[in-house]
Amino acid sequence: MFASQRLDGDKPEQYAQLTAQAQALLAGEHDRIANAANLSALVFHALPDLNWVGFYFFDGTELVVGPFQGQPACVRIPLDKGVCGAAARSRRTQRIDDVHAFPGHIACDAASRSELVVPLFDGDTLIGVFDLDSPLTARFDVDDQTGLEAVARIWLESLR
């Protein structure tokens, strides 16, 4: 049985612990929905000051909500809209300190103030995005970005 553990130390140490927990949680399972659901729950409960953590999957046309933790979400996001669309289009993580200053931001949860979105690619194929929202402005820093990109890679590796 998996048991999450409290994260200790500075942010890099906490993310090292979180990635170890994520690897243990996803070990031996290859179903993308099951792993996305468990990873969303793990991250949502492990990290402070988050109001939404989850996945959007690319259906060939747009991003469609997948497993998540938080308030109900926008179901479909066009690739030319919002922070999630920007991450998918640019193939780069988007770390937004103030979502209200982001052109085209989609306000799925009015409480969100900052956002971090990691694009999920298998080679050149867009799988989707891993999306985190916070009710705090500037919640995410470079340590969060590095740590959450590592967590996202663990999910991608679990698909193989």
Side-chain angles (χ1 to χ4, degrees), residues 5 19 25 27 35 56-58 71-72 75 79-80 87 96 102-103 108-110 116 125 127 134 141 143 147:
Q5 299 172 350
T19 57
L25 180 63
N35 286 346
Y56 278 89
F57 295 126
F58 185 59
Q71 294 293 321
V75 175
L79 294 184
D80 63 348
I96 309 301
F102 187 87
C108 294
D109 183 344
L116 189 140
T125 303
I127 304 298
S134 173
D141 62 18
D143 288 330

Side-chain angles (χ1 to χ4, degrees), residues 67-128:
F68 68 90
Q69 296 281 305
Q71 294 293 321
C74 300
V75 175
R76 296 180 179 275
I77 299 176
L79 294 184
D80 63 348
K81 301 282 188 220
V83 180
C84 289
R89 273 191 329 276
S90 70
R91 301 176 63 105
R92 295 183 147 193
T93 297
Q94 301 292 304
R95 183 167 34 99
I96 309 301
D97 288 341
D98 180 0
V99 294
H100 298 296
F102 187 87
H105 172 251
I106 301 168
C108 294
D109 183 344
S112 294
R113 295 289 176 263
S114 59
E115 188 168 5
L116 189 140
V117 182
V118 180
L120 303 169
F121 279 85
D122 184 9
D124 288 334
T125 303
L126 175 62
I127 304 298

